[in-house]
Amino acid sequence: MTMFTATLRELYEEDTGRAHRFRYALLVFDVATIAFVVVTSFLPLSPWIVACDVAVGLCVLLDFAARLRISRAPLREFRHLSTWTDLVAVTSFLAPLLVEGVGFLRILRTLRMLRTYHLLERLRQDSGLFRRNEDAILAATNLVVFVFAMTGIVYATQHGSNPAIQTPIDALYFTVTSLTTTGYGDITLPGPTGRLLSVFVMICGVTLFFRLAQVVFRPYKVRFPCTACGLQRHEPDAVHCKACGNILNIPDEGAY
């Protein structure tokens, strides 16, 4: 293993101060990228947007190449959904002029950001807010990513052939009204392909929406693995595991 590979492996996988700072820098980069994606997706394509797209796309490509470099089995990485979403995101960043309407697919980068094991562990340790609301944050992220990804697909497939889809806002409006099953009927997708796409939006969107509602409104539980049976979630004041009765030792910050 070369020094370069060892350094990359430290930054991406090990528990050092430099690695933590690097991964938080990646998190900041991804959050800024998502903000850029959302804002510019509603703007007309201009040279500065194309330049920023290419620059960000190259950064994402370097991150993707670094992950493959440190992988013990690079080919197995292509079995993971996050690998393919990274490739789609890179393509959509680097080809904004070649494939019109794919800009929204850049937000698929978010799936990598919040599916990195080391990042999740670090956020759980450093942020009480994230620990208390992890499921809600991940569920909200999944829903937002789905909405914007489907908006991009609707716009790319319908713009130019469907007079009701003139702008990305029209595609976003259709996606939201479909996944909420509101269905005003002022925008529809004609033909078998359009109907199947509408059905997909409704089924998946409603599922993700109900998942978010479930984690928001269910009673709060802390994440603490039971040493006997492995049950992960318990009431904040639990002394015994409700599955096996094992004594727990859940860390408590104390009363305020």
Side-chain angles (χ1 to χ4, degrees):
M1 184 169 60
T2 65
M3 181 66 69
F4 178 67
T5 303
T7 301
L8 286 178
R9 190 156 289 166
E10 177 203 349
L11 294 176
Y12 279 92
E13 296 181 347
E14 294 184 12
D15 188 19
T16 65
R18 184 168 66 162
H20 295 161
R21 290 190 295 271
F22 173 78
R23 290 196 285 267
Y24 271 122
L26 281 182
L27 175 61
V28 172
F29 169 78
D30 280 333
V31 171
T33 298
I34 293 166
F36 170 77
V37 167
V38 172
V39 172
T40 58
S41 294
F42 294 102
L43 299 177
L45 199 62
S46 60
W48 74 268
I49 293 179
V50 174
C52 291
D53 273 348
V54 173
V56 173
L58 291 175
C59 291
V60 176
L61 182 60
L62 288 175
D63 175 58
F64 178 75
R67 294 178 189 277
L68 284 183
R69 178 69 179 268
I70 65 176
S71 175
R72 276 76 175 177
L75 292 179
R76 291 183 182 177
E77 294 295 320
F78 291 92
R79 300 178 183 178
H80 303 150
L81 176 63
S82 58
T83 300
W84 291 102
T85 57
D86 264 1
L87 288 174
V88 172
V90 169
T91 303
S92 61
F93 273 116
L94 297 180
L97 292 175
L98 299 179
V99 188
E100 184 180 8
V102 300
F104 277 113
L105 298 182
R106 296 172 294 178
I107 205 167
L108 290 174
R109 172 69 180 172
T110 314
L111 294 179
R112 167 68 72 180
M113 180 185 72
L114 286 179
R115 291 298 181 274
T116 304
Y117 171 77
H118 295 284
L119 175 60
L120 290 177
E121 284 298 308
R122 196 72 237 166
L123 286 173
R124 289 175 189 138
Q125 293 178 29
D126 295 345
S127 173
L129 177 65
F130 184 83
R131 285 197 303 272
R132 293 190 297 272
N133 302 283
E134 177 181 348
D135 287 342
I137 291 173
L138 296 181
T141 301
N142 290 336
L143 179 60
V144 170
V145 169
F146 175 80
V147 167
F148 282 100
M150 292 310 303
T151 295
I153 293 173
V154 169
Y155 183 75
T157 58
Q158 298 295 312
H159 180 65
S161 61
N162 188 341
I165 306 292
Q166 297 293 327
T167 67
I169 295 178
D170 294 331
L172 177 62
Y173 169 76
F174 169 80
T175 302
V176 173
T177 56
S178 295
L179 72 88
T180 58
T181 68
T182 303
Y184 293 117
D186 51 344
I187 297 180
T188 58
L189 305 187
T193 302
R195 291 188 177 93
L196 288 175
L197 185 57
S198 301
V199 170
F200 181 78
V201 171
M202 284 184 280
I203 293 177
C204 294
V206 169
T207 301
L208 291 171
F209 182 79
F210 279 134
R211 170 59 181 166
L212 176 59
Q214 179 189 37
V215 299
V216 168
F217 293 107
R218 74 181 181 185
Y220 167 65
K221 292 187 178 181
V222 296
R223 181 187 294 271
F224 184 83
C226 173
T227 56
C229 71
L231 184 67
Q232 292 284 327
R233 297 188 177 279
H234 310 273
E235 284 71 22
D237 59 348
V239 177
H240 296 87
C241 175
K242 66 179 181 182
C244 67
N246 184 54
I247 296 179
L248 302 173
N249 187 21
I250 301 176
D252 189 353
E253 296 178 354
Y256 293 95

